[in-house]
PDB file of all heavy atoms in Angstrom:
ATOM      1  N   LEU A   1      -7.947  -1.626  -5.169  1.00  0.00           N
ATOM      2  CA  LEU A   1      -7.104  -0.861  -4.251  1.00  0.00           C
ATOM      3  C   LEU A   1      -5.960  -1.712  -3.718  1.00  0.00           C
ATOM      4  O   LEU A   1      -4.804  -1.285  -3.712  1.00  0.00           O
ATOM      5  CB  LEU A   1      -7.943  -0.316  -3.101  1.00  0.00           C
ATOM      6  CG  LEU A   1      -7.185   0.470  -2.036  1.00  0.00           C
ATOM      7  CD1 LEU A   1      -6.592   1.740  -2.636  1.00  0.00           C
ATOM      8  CD2 LEU A   1      -8.104   0.811  -0.883  1.00  0.00           C
ATOM      9  N   VAL A   2      -6.257  -2.934  -3.294  1.00  0.00           N
ATOM     10  CA  VAL A   2      -5.213  -3.825  -2.758  1.00  0.00           C
ATOM     11  C   VAL A   2      -4.189  -4.162  -3.832  1.00  0.00           C
ATOM     12  O   VAL A   2      -2.982  -4.157  -3.583  1.00  0.00           O
ATOM     13  CB  VAL A   2      -5.834  -5.102  -2.150  1.00  0.00           C
ATOM     14  CG1 VAL A   2      -4.767  -6.130  -1.805  1.00  0.00           C
ATOM     15  CG2 VAL A   2      -6.655  -4.754  -0.910  1.00  0.00           C
ATOM     16  N   MET A   3      -4.646  -4.420  -5.056  1.00  0.00           N
ATOM     17  CA  MET A   3      -3.706  -4.735  -6.139  1.00  0.00           C
ATOM     18  C   MET A   3      -2.781  -3.553  -6.434  1.00  0.00           C
ATOM     19  O   MET A   3      -1.587  -3.731  -6.675  1.00  0.00           O
ATOM     20  CB  MET A   3      -4.468  -5.122  -7.406  1.00  0.00           C
ATOM     21  CG  MET A   3      -5.137  -6.471  -7.329  1.00  0.00           C
ATOM     22  SD  MET A   3      -6.142  -6.832  -8.772  1.00  0.00           S
ATOM     23  CE  MET A   3      -4.887  -6.961 -10.033  1.00  0.00           C
ATOM     24  N   ASN A   4      -3.319  -2.345  -6.428  1.00  0.00           N
ATOM     25  CA  ASN A   4      -2.530  -1.171  -6.804  1.00  0.00           C
ATOM     26  C   ASN A   4      -1.615  -0.648  -5.706  1.00  0.00           C
ATOM     27  O   ASN A   4      -0.542  -0.139  -6.006  1.00  0.00           O
ATOM     28  CB  ASN A   4      -3.456  -0.049  -7.277  1.00  0.00           C
ATOM     29  CG  ASN A   4      -3.962  -0.306  -8.668  1.00  0.00           C
ATOM     30  OD1 ASN A   4      -3.183  -0.421  -9.598  1.00  0.00           O
ATOM     31  ND2 ASN A   4      -5.258  -0.421  -8.822  1.00  0.00           N
ATOM     32  N   LEU A   5      -2.039  -0.746  -4.450  1.00  0.00           N
ATOM     33  CA  LEU A   5      -1.252  -0.161  -3.372  1.00  0.00           C
ATOM     34  C   LEU A   5      -0.805  -1.146  -2.311  1.00  0.00           C
ATOM     35  O   LEU A   5       0.120  -0.867  -1.560  1.00  0.00           O
ATOM     36  CB  LEU A   5      -2.055   0.953  -2.688  1.00  0.00           C
ATOM     37  CG  LEU A   5      -2.249   2.203  -3.532  1.00  0.00           C
ATOM     38  CD1 LEU A   5      -3.263   3.133  -2.886  1.00  0.00           C
ATOM     39  CD2 LEU A   5      -0.920   2.901  -3.743  1.00  0.00           C
ATOM     40  N   GLY A   6      -1.459  -2.288  -2.209  1.00  0.00           N
ATOM     41  CA  GLY A   6      -1.152  -3.242  -1.152  1.00  0.00           C
ATOM     42  C   GLY A   6      -2.252  -3.244  -0.107  1.00  0.00           C
ATOM     43  O   GLY A   6      -3.171  -2.432  -0.151  1.00  0.00           O
ATOM     44  N   PRO A   7      -2.156  -4.160   0.849  1.00  0.00           N
ATOM     45  CA  PRO A   7      -3.250  -4.343   1.812  1.00  0.00           C
ATOM     46  C   PRO A   7      -3.442  -3.191   2.793  1.00  0.00           C
ATOM     47  O   PRO A   7      -4.542  -2.960   3.274  1.00  0.00           O
ATOM     48  CB  PRO A   7      -2.877  -5.621   2.552  1.00  0.00           C
ATOM     49  CG  PRO A   7      -1.411  -5.790   2.322  1.00  0.00           C
ATOM     50  CD  PRO A   7      -1.093  -5.127   1.014  1.00  0.00           C
ATOM     51  N   LYS A   8      -2.397  -2.465   3.123  1.00  0.00           N
ATOM     52  CA  LYS A   8      -2.499  -1.339   4.077  1.00  0.00           C
ATOM     53  C   LYS A   8      -1.682  -0.159   3.563  1.00  0.00           C
ATOM     54  O   LYS A   8      -0.567   0.076   4.042  1.00  0.00           O
ATOM     55  CB  LYS A   8      -2.006  -1.756   5.459  1.00  0.00           C
ATOM     56  CG  LYS A   8      -2.912  -2.700   6.186  1.00  0.00           C
ATOM     57  CD  LYS A   8      -2.384  -2.914   7.590  1.00  0.00           C
ATOM     58  CE  LYS A   8      -3.423  -3.651   8.415  1.00  0.00           C
ATOM     59  NZ  LYS A   8      -3.011  -3.728   9.813  1.00  0.00           N
ATOM     60  N   PRO A   9      -2.211   0.597   2.610  1.00  0.00           N
ATOM     61  CA  PRO A   9      -1.413   1.682   2.046  1.00  0.00           C
ATOM     62  C   PRO A   9      -1.131   2.821   3.032  1.00  0.00           C
ATOM     63  O   PRO A   9      -0.059   3.395   3.017  1.00  0.00           O
ATOM     64  CB  PRO A   9      -2.233   2.176   0.866  1.00  0.00           C
ATOM     65  CG  PRO A   9      -3.609   1.668   1.090  1.00  0.00           C
ATOM     66  CD  PRO A   9      -3.492   0.452   1.939  1.00  0.00           C
ATOM     67  N   PHE A  10      -2.083   3.129   3.901  1.00  0.00           N
ATOM     68  CA  PHE A  10      -1.879   4.186   4.891  1.00  0.00           C
ATOM     69  C   PHE A  10      -1.738   3.551   6.263  1.00  0.00           C
ATOM     70  O   PHE A  10      -2.553   2.722   6.657  1.00  0.00           O
ATOM     71  CB  PHE A  10      -3.046   5.178   4.883  1.00  0.00           C
ATOM     72  CG  PHE A  10      -3.090   6.010   3.642  1.00  0.00           C
ATOM     73  CD1 PHE A  10      -3.899   5.651   2.579  1.00  0.00           C
ATOM     74  CD2 PHE A  10      -2.317   7.153   3.528  1.00  0.00           C
ATOM     75  CE1 PHE A  10      -3.942   6.414   1.422  1.00  0.00           C
ATOM     76  CE2 PHE A  10      -2.346   7.924   2.377  1.00  0.00           C
ATOM     77  CZ  PHE A  10      -3.167   7.554   1.323  1.00  0.00           C
ATOM     78  N   ARG A  11      -0.694   3.959   6.979  1.00  0.00           N
ATOM     79  CA  ARG A  11      -0.436   3.401   8.308  1.00  0.00           C
ATOM     80  C   ARG A  11      -0.032   4.513   9.264  1.00  0.00           C
ATOM     81  O   ARG A  11       0.489   5.541   8.836  1.00  0.00           O
ATOM     82  CB  ARG A  11       0.691   2.372   8.241  1.00  0.00           C
ATOM     83  CG  ARG A  11       0.378   1.216   7.315  1.00  0.00           C
ATOM     84  CD  ARG A  11       1.524   0.258   7.181  1.00  0.00           C
ATOM     85  NE  ARG A  11       1.235  -0.671   6.090  1.00  0.00           N
ATOM     86  CZ  ARG A  11       2.112  -1.485   5.568  1.00  0.00           C
ATOM     87  NH1 ARG A  11       3.351  -1.522   6.024  1.00  0.00           N
ATOM     88  NH2 ARG A  11       1.780  -2.298   4.585  1.00  0.00           N
ATOM     89  N   LEU A  12      -0.268   4.256  10.546  1.00  0.00           N
ATOM     90  CA  LEU A  12       0.184   5.164  11.598  1.00  0.00           C
ATOM     91  C   LEU A  12       1.262   4.471  12.408  1.00  0.00           C
ATOM     92  O   LEU A  12       1.109   3.312  12.785  1.00  0.00           O
ATOM     93  CB  LEU A  12      -0.971   5.543  12.530  1.00  0.00           C
ATOM     94  CG  LEU A  12      -1.947   6.593  12.026  1.00  0.00           C
ATOM     95  CD1 LEU A  12      -3.073   6.787  13.034  1.00  0.00           C
ATOM     96  CD2 LEU A  12      -1.253   7.911  11.755  1.00  0.00           C
ATOM     97  N   SER A  13       2.341   5.192  12.685  1.00  0.00           N
ATOM     98  CA  SER A  13       3.406   4.642  13.519  1.00  0.00           C
ATOM     99  C   SER A  13       2.990   4.723  14.980  1.00  0.00           C
ATOM    100  O   SER A  13       1.955   5.300  15.317  1.00  0.00           O
ATOM    101  CB  SER A  13       4.698   5.433  13.296  1.00  0.00           C
ATOM    102  OG  SER A  13       4.557   6.730  13.840  1.00  0.00           O
ATOM    103  N   ALA A  14       3.811   4.175  15.860  1.00  0.00           N
ATOM    104  CA  ALA A  14       3.538   4.229  17.297  1.00  0.00           C
ATOM    105  C   ALA A  14       3.475   5.671  17.788  1.00  0.00           C
ATOM    106  O   ALA A  14       2.772   5.975  18.755  1.00  0.00           O
ATOM    107  CB  ALA A  14       4.611   3.467  18.067  1.00  0.00           C
ATOM    108  N   SER A  15       4.156   6.583  17.081  1.00  0.00           N
ATOM    109  CA  SER A  15       4.130   8.003  17.459  1.00  0.00           C
ATOM    110  C   SER A  15       3.083   8.785  16.656  1.00  0.00           C
ATOM    111  O   SER A  15       3.158  10.010  16.568  1.00  0.00           O
ATOM    112  CB  SER A  15       5.512   8.623  17.279  1.00  0.00           C
ATOM    113  OG  SER A  15       5.908   8.519  15.920  1.00  0.00           O
ATOM    114  N   ASP A  16       2.140   8.061  16.059  1.00  0.00           N
ATOM    115  CA  ASP A  16       1.030   8.664  15.282  1.00  0.00           C
ATOM    116  C   ASP A  16       1.494   9.429  14.045  1.00  0.00           C
ATOM    117  O   ASP A  16       0.859  10.386  13.630  1.00  0.00           O
ATOM    118  CB  ASP A  16       0.159   9.571  16.160  1.00  0.00           C
ATOM    119  CG  ASP A  16      -0.747   8.770  17.079  1.00  0.00           C
ATOM    120  OD1 ASP A  16      -0.998   7.587  16.787  1.00  0.00           O
ATOM    121  OD2 ASP A  16      -1.200   9.334  18.092  1.00  0.00           O
ATOM    122  N   GLU A  17       2.594   9.007  13.445  1.00  0.00           N
ATOM    123  CA  GLU A  17       3.026   9.614  12.188  1.00  0.00           C
ATOM    124  C   GLU A  17       2.462   8.787  11.036  1.00  0.00           C
ATOM    125  O   GLU A  17       2.605   7.570  10.996  1.00  0.00           O
ATOM    126  CB  GLU A  17       4.549   9.656  12.089  1.00  0.00           C
ATOM    127  CG  GLU A  17       5.018  10.337  10.810  1.00  0.00           C
ATOM    128  CD  GLU A  17       6.520  10.447  10.700  1.00  0.00           C
ATOM    129  OE1 GLU A  17       7.076  11.364  11.336  1.00  0.00           O
ATOM    130  OE2 GLU A  17       7.126   9.622   9.988  1.00  0.00           O
ATOM    131  N   LEU A  18       1.829   9.475  10.093  1.00  0.00           N
ATOM    132  CA  LEU A  18       1.238   8.828   8.928  1.00  0.00           C
ATOM    133  C   LEU A  18       2.312   8.423   7.930  1.00  0.00           C
ATOM    134  O   LEU A  18       3.294   9.150   7.733  1.00  0.00           O
ATOM    135  CB  LEU A  18       0.251   9.779   8.246  1.00  0.00           C
ATOM    136  CG  LEU A  18      -0.479   9.234   7.023  1.00  0.00           C
ATOM    137  CD1 LEU A  18      -1.481   8.163   7.441  1.00  0.00           C
ATOM    138  CD2 LEU A  18      -1.185  10.364   6.284  1.00  0.00           C
ATOM    139  N   SER A  19       2.130   7.258   7.305  1.00  0.00           N
ATOM    140  CA  SER A  19       2.995   6.864   6.200  1.00  0.00           C
ATOM    141  C   SER A  19       2.140   6.278   5.091  1.00  0.00           C
ATOM    142  O   SER A  19       1.047   5.777   5.334  1.00  0.00           O
ATOM    143  CB  SER A  19       4.061   5.851   6.638  1.00  0.00           C
ATOM    144  OG  SER A  19       3.463   4.627   6.986  1.00  0.00           O
ATOM    145  N   VAL A  20       2.644   6.379   3.865  1.00  0.00           N
ATOM    146  CA  VAL A  20       2.033   5.747   2.696  1.00  0.00           C
ATOM    147  C   VAL A  20       3.009   4.686   2.232  1.00  0.00           C
ATOM    148  O   VAL A  20       4.183   4.964   2.011  1.00  0.00           O
ATOM    149  CB  VAL A  20       1.768   6.755   1.551  1.00  0.00           C
ATOM    150  CG1 VAL A  20       1.064   6.068   0.399  1.00  0.00           C
ATOM    151  CG2 VAL A  20       0.961   7.944   2.039  1.00  0.00           C
ATOM    152  N   ASN A  21       2.508   3.451   2.084  1.00  0.00           N
ATOM    153  CA  ASN A  21       3.343   2.307   1.718  1.00  0.00           C
ATOM    154  C   ASN A  21       2.909   1.779   0.361  1.00  0.00           C
ATOM    155  O   ASN A  21       1.740   1.440   0.174  1.00  0.00           O
ATOM    156  CB  ASN A  21       3.203   1.206   2.770  1.00  0.00           C
ATOM    157  CG  ASN A  21       3.599   1.698   4.143  1.00  0.00           C
ATOM    158  OD1 ASN A  21       4.727   1.539   4.557  1.00  0.00           O
ATOM    159  ND2 ASN A  21       2.677   2.318   4.851  1.00  0.00           N
ATOM    160  N   PHE A  22       3.826   1.709  -0.574  1.00  0.00           N
ATOM    161  CA  PHE A  22       3.531   1.198  -1.906  1.00  0.00           C
ATOM    162  C   PHE A  22       3.969  -0.257  -1.984  1.00  0.00           C
ATOM    163  O   PHE A  22       5.161  -0.556  -2.025  1.00  0.00           O
ATOM    164  CB  PHE A  22       4.240   2.048  -2.969  1.00  0.00           C
ATOM    165  CG  PHE A  22       3.662   3.426  -3.092  1.00  0.00           C
ATOM    166  CD1 PHE A  22       4.105   4.449  -2.272  1.00  0.00           C
ATOM    167  CD2 PHE A  22       2.657   3.691  -4.009  1.00  0.00           C
ATOM    168  CE1 PHE A  22       3.571   5.729  -2.370  1.00  0.00           C
ATOM    169  CE2 PHE A  22       2.116   4.958  -4.114  1.00  0.00           C
ATOM    170  CZ  PHE A  22       2.566   5.978  -3.289  1.00  0.00           C
ATOM    171  N   GLU A  23       3.008  -1.162  -1.964  1.00  0.00           N
ATOM    172  CA  GLU A  23       3.262  -2.603  -2.029  1.00  0.00           C
ATOM    173  C   GLU A  23       2.307  -3.236  -3.042  1.00  0.00           C
ATOM    174  O   GLU A  23       1.427  -4.018  -2.681  1.00  0.00           O
ATOM    175  CB  GLU A  23       3.048  -3.228  -0.649  1.00  0.00           C
ATOM    176  CG  GLU A  23       3.961  -2.680   0.424  1.00  0.00           C
ATOM    177  CD  GLU A  23       3.598  -3.162   1.822  1.00  0.00           C
ATOM    178  OE1 GLU A  23       2.415  -3.507   2.064  1.00  0.00           O
ATOM    179  OE2 GLU A  23       4.493  -3.202   2.661  1.00  0.00           O
ATOM    180  N   PRO A  24       2.459  -2.904  -4.333  1.00  0.00           N
ATOM    181  CA  PRO A  24       1.509  -3.408  -5.325  1.00  0.00           C
ATOM    182  C   PRO A  24       1.559  -4.934  -5.443  1.00  0.00           C
ATOM    183  O   PRO A  24       2.572  -5.561  -5.166  1.00  0.00           O
ATOM    184  CB  PRO A  24       1.971  -2.751  -6.623  1.00  0.00           C
ATOM    185  CG  PRO A  24       3.433  -2.521  -6.412  1.00  0.00           C
ATOM    186  CD  PRO A  24       3.565  -2.184  -4.943  1.00  0.00           C
ATOM    187  N   ILE A  25       0.435  -5.480  -5.856  1.00  0.00           N
ATOM    188  CA  ILE A  25       0.320  -6.920  -6.086  1.00  0.00           C
ATOM    189  C   ILE A  25      -0.189  -7.082  -7.523  1.00  0.00           C
ATOM    190  O   ILE A  25      -1.376  -7.303  -7.756  1.00  0.00           O
ATOM    191  CB  ILE A  25      -0.640  -7.570  -5.064  1.00  0.00           C
ATOM    192  CG1 ILE A  25      -0.198  -7.243  -3.644  1.00  0.00           C
ATOM    193  CG2 ILE A  25      -0.714  -9.084  -5.278  1.00  0.00           C
ATOM    194  CD1 ILE A  25      -1.219  -7.607  -2.577  1.00  0.00           C
ATOM    195  N   LEU A  26       0.721  -6.905  -8.480  1.00  0.00           N
ATOM    196  CA  LEU A  26       0.357  -6.859  -9.895  1.00  0.00           C
ATOM    197  C   LEU A  26       1.083  -7.938 -10.684  1.00  0.00           C
ATOM    198  O   LEU A  26       2.295  -8.117 -10.523  1.00  0.00           O
ATOM    199  CB  LEU A  26       0.723  -5.490 -10.482  1.00  0.00           C
ATOM    200  CG  LEU A  26       0.077  -4.270  -9.830  1.00  0.00           C
ATOM    201  CD1 LEU A  26       0.743  -2.991 -10.308  1.00  0.00           C
ATOM    202  CD2 LEU A  26      -1.413  -4.255 -10.112  1.00  0.00           C
ATOM    203  N   PRO A  27       0.364  -8.631 -11.571  1.00  0.00           N
ATOM    204  CA  PRO A  27       1.031  -9.608 -12.434  1.00  0.00           C
ATOM    205  C   PRO A  27       1.818  -8.898 -13.537  1.00  0.00           C
ATOM    206  O   PRO A  27       1.502  -7.772 -13.923  1.00  0.00           O
ATOM    207  CB  PRO A  27      -0.127 -10.421 -13.017  1.00  0.00           C
ATOM    208  CG  PRO A  27      -1.296  -9.501 -12.968  1.00  0.00           C
ATOM    209  CD  PRO A  27      -1.085  -8.606 -11.777  1.00  0.00           C
ATOM    210  N   SER A  28       2.817  -9.563 -14.057  1.00  0.00           N
ATOM    211  CA  SER A  28       3.698  -8.959 -15.057  1.00  0.00           C
ATOM    212  C   SER A  28       2.947  -8.519 -16.312  1.00  0.00           C
ATOM    213  O   SER A  28       3.319  -7.518 -16.931  1.00  0.00           O
ATOM    214  CB  SER A  28       4.803  -9.938 -15.439  1.00  0.00           C
ATOM    215  OG  SER A  28       4.240 -11.118 -15.995  1.00  0.00           O
ATOM    216  N   TYR A  29       1.869  -9.210 -16.657  1.00  0.00           N
ATOM    217  CA  TYR A  29       1.161  -8.863 -17.898  1.00  0.00           C
ATOM    218  C   TYR A  29       0.331  -7.587 -17.780  1.00  0.00           C
ATOM    219  O   TYR A  29      -0.213  -7.111 -18.773  1.00  0.00           O
ATOM    220  CB  TYR A  29       0.301 -10.037 -18.396  1.00  0.00           C
ATOM    221  CG  TYR A  29      -0.762 -10.503 -17.440  1.00  0.00           C
ATOM    222  CD1 TYR A  29      -1.994  -9.875 -17.366  1.00  0.00           C
ATOM    223  CD2 TYR A  29      -0.533 -11.600 -16.612  1.00  0.00           C
ATOM    224  CE1 TYR A  29      -2.973 -10.311 -16.488  1.00  0.00           C
ATOM    225  CE2 TYR A  29      -1.502 -12.048 -15.733  1.00  0.00           C
ATOM    226  CZ  TYR A  29      -2.715 -11.401 -15.682  1.00  0.00           C
ATOM    227  OH  TYR A  29      -3.695 -11.841 -14.810  1.00  0.00           O
ATOM    228  N   PHE A  30       0.242  -6.985 -16.605  1.00  0.00           N
ATOM    229  CA  PHE A  30      -0.435  -5.691 -16.449  1.00  0.00           C
ATOM    230  C   PHE A  30       0.419  -4.540 -16.976  1.00  0.00           C
ATOM    231  O   PHE A  30      -0.092  -3.460 -17.238  1.00  0.00           O
ATOM    232  CB  PHE A  30      -0.763  -5.420 -14.984  1.00  0.00           C
ATOM    233  CG  PHE A  30      -2.078  -5.975 -14.523  1.00  0.00           C
ATOM    234  CD1 PHE A  30      -2.639  -7.099 -15.096  1.00  0.00           C
ATOM    235  CD2 PHE A  30      -2.759  -5.372 -13.483  1.00  0.00           C
ATOM    236  CE1 PHE A  30      -3.840  -7.615 -14.650  1.00  0.00           C
ATOM    237  CE2 PHE A  30      -3.963  -5.862 -13.026  1.00  0.00           C
ATOM    238  CZ  PHE A  30      -4.512  -6.996 -13.614  1.00  0.00           C
TER     239      PHE A  30
END
């Protein structure tokens, strides 16, 4: 999960708005 989406894919803002963050951690050979 962390490799594909990043450490915190779903987050809540200070105003409780949901966001999805795409921060993959993938090596080039994948």
Side-chain angles (χ1 to χ4, degrees):
L1 178 64
V2 170
M3 288 175 67
N4 284 300
L5 290 169
K8 289 186 169 187
F10 291 96
R11 300 176 191 168
L12 282 177
S13 70
S15 60
D16 285 339
E17 182 178 280
L18 181 70
S19 67
V20 183
N21 301 266
F22 290 86
E23 299 172 334
I25 305 169
L26 301 168
S28 61
Y29 60 83
F30 273 28

